[in-house]
Amino acid sequence: MAAAEGAVAPPPTAAPPPSPPRPKSPPGYPDLCGRRRLGAAVQVLDREIASLEADLQSLEGLESVSSCCQEYVRVNEFVGTNPDPFIHTTEKQKESHQVGKRFRMCFNFQWICCSNGFPPKAKRPICPLGQLKTLCCRRCHGGCNCCSCCDLSCCRVLCCSRPSCSCPEFSCGCICSCSKFTEKCSRRGCSSTSCISKCLC
Amino acid sequence: MSVAELKERHAAATATVNDLRERLKQKRQLLLDTDVASYALSHGRTPISFSSTDLVCCRTLRGHTGKVYSLDWTPERNRIVSASQDGRLIVWNALTSQKTHAIKLHCAWVMTCAFAPSGQSVACGGLDSACSIFNLNSQVDRDGNIPISRILTGHKGYVSSCQYVPDQETRLITSSGDQTCVLWDITTGQRISVFGGDFPSGHTADVLSLSINSANSNMFVSGSCDATARLWDIRIASRAVRTYHGHEGDVNTVKFFPDGQRFGTGSDDTTCRLFDMRTGHQLQVYSRPHENNDNDVPTVTSIAFSISGRLLFAGYSNGDCYVWDTLVAEVAFNLGTLQNSHEGRISCLGLSSDGSALCTGSWDKNLRIWAFGGHRMVI
């Protein structure tokens, strides 16, 4: 029987779409990477244990710190036999000698301080207190202004006062270094990465 | 062994390590009946002091266009090599401030440099994980650069520090981010010995610094991010001779005392420490005086002893350079307070071989040379 004129035929019943393929669940393989990592970590700890046990053993019968301190103080008492260029002489050493005038002069060790124009073996100028600046002041490098000197420190080669300058802000770029690649980080004050423990900024 | 069993073993081993560390700390504490300062002061030793004009800056070495990371003096005292983030090594005549060599590096990320005993070669290393050797007498290539004469490859991490074995032109020791130190034969480019790594008692984190004992060049000490310093005998690479505990942060710098019986360290925990090499005892802690703002205490980046050992120069991350009186553990002077001091972190410092001049390198791109300019008695 033909459908009545004007009637809308019901839509054909659509077959349900096939269900999408589902991947199979991964097989129950052992987590090899995790196991190896753990195994390596345990080995490191075992080595640390052996080392710490050896350290503990070495403490048996060890003398106390005070005997090491005694030795250290004794070593320092012999400073006079190995004079230290950074340590001034003491008052005690002048007792049995004629006391000379007190000058600021460049000593044997100050080869670098007073060598600008004064060969190490040449006689160095003595700058008594209150002497004119021209005796000792030197032209300063790099556009610095030569400050007043020689009233107390005539042996300064560079007596400049640095012109004030503003330092530009540098962004702290950190570099990560690994064996196979380098990657530039941009975080300021970045913390340790898996590649290196300290970032270079 | 299953993962679960391994996890159990890991937890048990961790507990054992922590327990052993605690026992070691307590045993050391029982032996810590005094320190150097307490002993010295109780025996009438007096501090050294400096006036504001005693220590002077005699030279400012300008030329780098990036942060200075490392410096080294020649044994004959009048030349300095410096390494900078600008990717260059510069060799300076310390007397005249002139640059005698400017070496462009293949890898700009250099962290360390060193002069050979003869003063004819320099070595450097950094994030390229290699140590490059340059002969200063080599003919330059057509770009005007000194070519590499040898490259030492083998580290699996950055090279943090390098030092030639005293009086041996062909032997060099490097420290690395791969947790090892290596002794190299420069002639062949081969590793002679590896200290740490797979062997027991090696460092368990990046090694940042090393110092060879000038009194006995078979021994060297290394400092690491694992907060320890370790003593090594180059003839016995299989294990460290001794481990020195005490610091609470990365040990950035180590330096032997002049007589070779002690060594100093500087750390991210803001302290310097003095250790006795033979016994392992921590003899003294040099802590900065407490400041108002305790939140950002500067870390120690570099140290050097004066020629007598009485003074310890320490560079800090805020530009300070303390002169410690090692006997009484007091700050004798701070070079950072001087008008012409550095304007940034002090990254490196070193004393000339005759002990008369101190050179400091900084992130302000400059190097400065300091000497004693104070009173001497005329007798």
Side-chain angles (χ1 to χ4, degrees), chain B residues 179-372:
Chain B
Q179 306 179 9
T180 69
C181 295
V182 172
L183 170 68
W184 302 86
D185 181 339
I186 295 172
T187 313
T188 60
Q190 299 299 311
R191 290 177 288 189
I192 299 173
S193 299
V194 179
F195 306 93
D198 291 336
F199 292 110
S201 72
H203 282 295
T204 54
D206 302 24
V207 187
L208 299 177
S209 53
L210 71 97
S211 174
I212 302 176
N213 190 338
S214 54
N216 176 4
S217 57
N218 286 323
M219 311 299 287
F220 74 93
V221 68
S222 56
S224 166
C225 289
D226 64 11
T228 69
R230 296 187 196 229
L231 178 68
W232 303 89
D233 186 327
I234 64 172
R235 299 163 295 187
I236 311 167
S238 53
R239 58 168 292 122
V241 175
R242 192 161 284 109
T243 301
Y244 303 84
H245 301 273
H247 275 297
E248 294 165 2
D250 298 359
V251 178
N252 296 317
T253 176
V254 291
K255 204 57 65 82
F256 262 102
F257 194 80
D259 70 357
Q261 299 302 311
R262 286 152 276 271
F263 63 90
T265 54
S267 168
D268 270 1
D269 69 5
T270 77
T271 67
C272 299
R273 296 181 194 228
L274 183 69
F275 290 93
D276 184 87
M277 186 185 73
R278 182 180 58 85
T279 59
H281 286 320
Q282 178 182 282
L283 302 181
Q284 186 63 54
V285 180
Y286 303 97
S287 294
R288 290 173 65 101
H290 278 295
E291 286 144 15
N292 291 335
N293 176 17
D294 282 337
N295 293 333
D296 200 14
V297 188
T299 58
V300 183
T301 61
S302 44
I303 58 169
F305 284 102
S306 68
I307 204 169
S308 67
R310 179 65 189 262
L311 303 175
L312 172 68
F313 301 99
Y316 291 83
S317 53
N318 68 342
D320 283 343
C321 183
Y322 279 13
V323 183
W324 286 96
D325 182 338
T326 60
L327 204 59
V328 296
E330 288 180 13
V331 180
F333 198 72
N334 178 7
L335 294 173
T337 59
L338 292 176
Q339 195 180 16
N340 49 4
S341 60
H342 284 292
E343 294 176 336
R345 167 189 288 242
I346 293 187
S347 53
C348 50
L349 53 82
L351 208 69
S352 62
S353 57
D354 65 352
S356 64
L358 172 77
C359 184
T360 52
S362 169
W363 279 9
D364 70 4
K365 305 176 192 173
N366 296 328
L367 293 97
R368 290 184 185 273
I369 301 177
W370 311 82
F372 182 77

Side-chain angles (χ1 to χ4, degrees), chain A residues 31 34-36 38-39 41-42 44-56 58-60 62-73 75-77 79 82-91 93-94 97-105 107 109-116 120 141-142 144 147 152-153 155-158 160-163 165 167 170-173 175-179 182 184 195-198 200-201, chain B residues 1 3 6-7 9-10 13-14 16-17 20-21 23-24 27-28 31-36 39-40 45 48-50 53-60 67 69 73 77 85 94-95 109 111 127 158 197-201 204 206 208 225 239 243 245 250 252 257 259 262 268 274 276 278-279 281-283 306-311 313 326-327 339-341 343 351 354-358 363 365 368-379:
Chain A
D31 178 8
R35 194 167 75 174
R36 281 190 186 140
L38 261 177
V42 167
V44 167
L45 286 170
D46 285 342
R47 286 199 293 266
E48 181 75 9
I49 287 170
S51 171
L52 287 167
E53 282 172 346
D55 286 344
L56 262 175
S58 71
L59 290 183
E60 296 299 327
L62 194 64
E63 67 236 52
S64 62
V65 173
S66 54
S67 56
C68 299
C69 293
Q70 187 180 19
E71 192 187 330
Y72 183 78
V73 170
V75 161
N76 265 278
E77 275 175 348
V79 166
N82 188 16
D84 193 323
F86 277 92
I87 297 176
H88 46 78
T89 52
T90 62
E91 293 291 314
Q93 290 177 7
K94 71 178 181 186
H97 299 277
Q98 180 186 357
V99 176
K101 290 181 184 174
R102 199 165 180 170
F103 294 121
R104 282 208 181 257
M105 62 184 291
F107 202 67
F109 299 110
Q110 265 71 42
W111 55 271
I112 196 165
C113 191
C114 287
S115 59
N116 191 11
H141 302 286
C144 294
C147 63
L152 284 178
S153 55
C155 289
R156 285 195 192 192
V157 175
L158 286 180
C160 310
S161 56
R162 195 174 34 236
C165 58
C167 297
F170 290 107
S171 65
C172 183
I175 291 290
C176 305
S177 166
C178 299
S179 56
T182 52
K184 189 169 181 182
C195 303
I196 62 173
S197 296
K198 293 181 83 69
L200 281 188
C201 297
Chain B
M1 203 180 283
V3 169
L6 275 172
K7 279 184 181 172
R9 265 199 70 183
H10 187 275
T14 304
T16 305
V17 162
L20 284 169
R21 280 186 184 152
R23 280 169 56 192
L24 198 61
K27 241 184 169 175
R28 284 257 176 222
L31 295 169
L32 191 65
D33 51 350
T34 187
D35 62 15
V36 164
Y39 184 90
R45 301 296 180 270
I48 283 175
S49 62
F50 292 100
T53 51
D54 275 344
L55 298 177
V56 298
C57 175
C58 297
R59 296 284 187 279
T60 300
K67 296 168 179 172
Y69 272 104
W73 288 84
R77 89 179 177 193
Q85 200 183 47
L95 217 58
W109 302 102
M111 295 173 72
L127 291 189
Y158 60 90
D198 291 336
F199 292 110
S201 72
T204 54
D206 302 24
L208 299 177
C225 289
R239 58 168 292 122
T243 301
H245 301 273
D250 298 359
N252 296 317
F257 194 80
D259 70 357
R262 286 152 276 271
D268 270 1
L274 183 69
D276 184 87
R278 182 180 58 85
T279 59
H281 286 320
Q282 178 182 282
L283 302 181
S306 68
I307 204 169
S308 67
R310 179 65 189 262
L311 303 175
F313 301 99
T326 60
L327 204 59
Q339 195 180 16
N340 49 4
S341 60
E343 294 176 336
L351 208 69
D354 65 352
S356 64
L358 172 77
W363 279 9
K365 305 176 192 173
R368 290 184 185 273
I369 301 177
W370 311 82
F372 182 77
H375 282 294
R376 298 281 176 180
M377 302 308 295
V378 177
I379 16 180

Side-chain angles (χ1 to χ4, degrees), chain B residues 131-211:
Chain B
C131 189
S132 304
I133 313 290
F134 297 89
N135 185 327
L136 297 177
N137 299 320
S138 298
Q139 215 167 7
V140 296
D141 61 23
R142 54 182 182 174
D143 295 324
N145 295 322
I146 294 180
I148 290 181
S149 59
R150 180 70 70 193
I151 186 158
L152 309 175
T153 55
H155 273 302
K156 294 172 192 160
Y158 60 90
V159 173
S160 53
S161 183
C162 63
Q163 188 179 346
Y164 279 82
V165 177
D167 302 322
Q168 291 197 45
E169 195 73 10
T170 59
R171 295 281 192 272
L172 178 130
I173 301 179
T174 52
S175 63
S176 171
D178 66 4
Q179 306 179 9
T180 69
C181 295
V182 172
L183 170 68
W184 302 86
D185 181 339
I186 295 172
T187 313
T188 60
Q190 299 299 311
R191 290 177 288 189
I192 299 173
S193 299
V194 179
F195 306 93
D198 291 336
F199 292 110
S201 72
H203 282 295
T204 54
D206 302 24
V207 187
L208 299 177
S209 53
L210 71 97
S211 174

Side-chain angles (χ1 to χ4, degrees), chain B residues 12-90:
Chain B
T14 304
T16 305
V17 162
N18 290 337
D19 173 62
L20 284 169
R21 280 186 184 152
E22 189 55 35
R23 280 169 56 192
L24 198 61
K25 194 174 165 184
Q26 280 172 10
K27 241 184 169 175
R28 284 257 176 222
Q29 202 62 32
L30 286 173
L31 295 169
L32 191 65
D33 51 350
T34 187
D35 62 15
V36 164
S38 304
Y39 184 90
L41 289 168
S42 69
H43 284 73
R45 301 296 180 270
T46 51
I48 283 175
S49 62
F50 292 100
S51 72
S52 59
T53 51
D54 275 344
L55 298 177
V56 298
C57 175
C58 297
R59 296 284 187 279
T60 300
L61 306 180
R62 293 191 176 89
H64 279 300
T65 55
K67 296 168 179 172
V68 176
Y69 272 104
S70 179
L71 68 90
D72 193 27
W73 288 84
T74 44
E76 78 266 17
R77 89 179 177 193
N78 64 343
R79 286 186 299 151
I80 296 169
V81 64
S82 59
S84 164
Q85 200 183 47
D86 62 12
R88 287 180 194 276
L89 297 182
I90 295 181

